[in-house]
Amino acid sequence: MNKQSNTYTIIYIIVLVVLVGTALAATSLALKDKQQENVNADKMGQILAAALITPAKGEVVADFDKYITTQLVVNEQGNPIEGVKAFDVNIANQSKLPADRRELPVFVCTTPDGATKYILPVYGAGLWGPIWGYVAFDSDGSTIYGAYFAHQGETPGLGAEIEKAAFSDQFKGKQVFKNGRFHPVTVVKAGQQPMNGEDYVDGISGGTITSKGVGAMLDNCLTPYRRFLQKLSE
């Protein structure tokens, strides 16, 4: 065949695309399990971070199995849902459903000092994409023990600051039950206070939309846990 002909060029391109595509597909399949393991380990690390536990490098899965002693899924009434694994629940999808139709994961953590914490996932929208996190509660069902937040594409130095300890540490010790009423922690502009007396934290300077997104996320995702948290206090 004439290597200078159009036919040869077309055949060459087709064969090259098929070979490269096959190689990429084979590589993707070969690495799929490892990629999923990395995704799971990252999620485990985030859950532990809410309980103020930082695993050593390479020990995330071991520490998750060590400290997360129970996983359960509850409904809006705070009652367990059987047959659903907490770790596998898609929080992004659940956050869009009416509260009475949601599957609500709970990760029960026994900290190194023997205390029990209840870690709840949250998911919402920032300025440029999704934001998410985990909030750990003391056994009284009201006091926040720790929190972890992450984002997909918020602006560095502005909205992206929600992932920094300077922001998440503000949540420690805040209460979601005040005077018998349930109020997820509000995120307000620095120097301001909410009108109805609920606990609050300062938002990110210059990251107003992301800060409001965190507040809306907490309201949307923690409110369905109200009955579950009440039962803890009882």
Side-chain angles (χ1 to χ4, degrees):
M1 181 181 294
N2 182 6
K3 293 184 178 182
Q4 304 302 319
S5 67
N6 291 335
T7 302
Y8 177 85
T9 301
I10 293 172
I11 293 175
Y12 179 84
I13 292 174
I14 292 174
V15 172
L16 184 62
V17 168
V18 170
L19 291 176
V20 171
T22 301
L24 290 175
T27 302
S28 178
L29 288 173
L31 296 177
K32 184 177 181 179
D33 290 344
K34 185 62 177 179
Q35 290 171 340
Q36 189 60 51
E37 289 176 5
N38 291 337
V39 170
N40 290 345
D42 183 57
K43 181 176 178 179
M44 291 176 183
Q46 294 180 21
I47 293 171
L48 291 174
L52 310 182
I53 297 172
T54 304
K57 185 176 181 180
E59 298 296 324
V60 175
V61 176
D63 281 358
F64 184 85
D65 293 338
K66 177 180 178 181
Y67 294 116
I68 302 301
T69 52
T70 305
Q71 297 184 43
L72 63 150
V73 178
V74 301
N75 58 23
E76 188 189 20
Q77 300 304 313
N79 300 319
I81 299 175
E82 301 297 334
V84 183
K85 186 177 179 181
F87 196 84
D88 294 337
V89 173
N90 188 316
I91 305 303
N93 292 340
Q94 294 297 316
S95 67
K96 300 172 186 176
L97 297 176
D100 60 358
R101 293 176 51 198
R102 295 188 195 180
E103 298 172 345
L104 306 170
V106 179
F107 300 92
V108 184
C109 176
T110 301
T111 60
D113 62 0
T116 300
K117 310 299 176 184
Y118 297 85
I119 306 171
L120 313 180
V122 293
Y123 188 95
L127 174 60
W128 300 113
I131 56 177
W132 64 91
Y134 297 90
V135 181
F137 286 85
D138 285 338
S139 56
D140 64 3
S142 179
T143 307
I144 293 178
Y145 176 72
Y148 172 88
F149 300 107
H151 65 92
Q152 180 173 293
E154 299 306 287
T155 307
L158 298 175
E161 295 297 299
I162 63 170
E163 67 182 1
K164 300 293 181 63
F167 178 72
S168 60
D169 283 352
Q170 296 182 83
F171 289 83
K172 296 177 182 178
K174 302 298 183 183
Q175 305 283 328
V176 295
F177 286 100
K178 302 280 285 188
N179 300 318
R181 298 182 62 188
F182 181 80
H183 292 289
V185 177
T186 301
V187 182
V188 299
K189 186 176 181 180
Q192 296 183 351
Q193 296 183 13
M195 298 296 293
N196 54 4
E198 70 264 38
D199 276 358
Y200 65 94
V201 300
D202 291 336
I204 302 297
S205 178
T208 302
I209 295 179
T210 307
S211 298
K212 289 182 177 179
V214 173
M217 173 175 70
L218 295 174
D219 184 44
N220 177 49
C221 292
L222 293 183
T223 299
Y225 285 98
R226 179 177 60 85
R227 294 293 297 275
F228 172 78
L229 294 171
Q230 278 182 326
K231 291 181 178 182
L232 292 182
S233 66
E234 295 168 358

